[in-house]
Amino acid sequence: VVKAPRGSGTLPDAHRDRALRFINFLSAAVTPFHAASIGSEMLKDAGFQRLDERAQWAGQLKAGGRYFYTRTDSTLVAFAVGGGYAPGGGFKVVGAHTDSPVLKTKPLTRHGTGS
């Protein structure tokens, strides 16, 4: 886990904290399986409700609700239902994915000496 002292550097503390959380996520999410597991825990901590992908969701999804499910423990899908949503209404989907090569950070890089 990477930590930096408060009040150091030029970034405001909130930005530094966000960046460090992202770096720690990248360091821990070494495979899609790790990323989905860690992401699931983050979503649960943020108040999202886990759904079973194979179950019928009729009557379970509520306006203002936040939900997620996983597929094969390597795919994570999360979504929020708008507060004004009514059954039969439209919706928008935004997606992103990671794949090979998996997310990794190098602990050190090599720089030439210029000679």
Side-chain angles (χ1 to χ4, degrees), residues 27-111:
S27 295
V30 295
T31 69
F33 300 98
H34 289 88
S37 176
I38 294 165
S40 292
E41 290 304 315
M42 292 169 70
L43 289 169
K44 281 191 253 182
D45 290 347
F48 281 70
Q49 178 185 339
R50 184 181 200 114
L51 296 171
D52 180 349
E53 179 187 17
R54 294 182 181 106
Q56 293 292 320
W57 296 349
Q60 287 190 35
L61 303 182
K62 307 290 182 203
R66 301 183 306 170
Y67 307 94
F68 75 97
Y69 66 89
T70 60
R71 176 180 288 177
T72 65
D73 293 329
S74 65
T75 300
L76 176 62
V77 178
F79 61 96
V81 179
Y85 177 76
F91 59 91
K92 296 177 183 174
V93 176
V94 176
H97 71 92
T98 62
D99 52 21
S100 184
V102 296
L103 298 170
K104 291 190 231 180
T105 56
K106 279 185 153 181
L108 297 173
T109 60
R110 292 185 182 196
H111 293 282

Side-chain angles (χ1 to χ4, degrees), residues 5-19:
R6 293 235 175 239
S8 64
T10 58
L11 281 178
D13 287 341
H15 295 305
R16 182 177 301 101
D17 291 346
R18 217 173 276 127

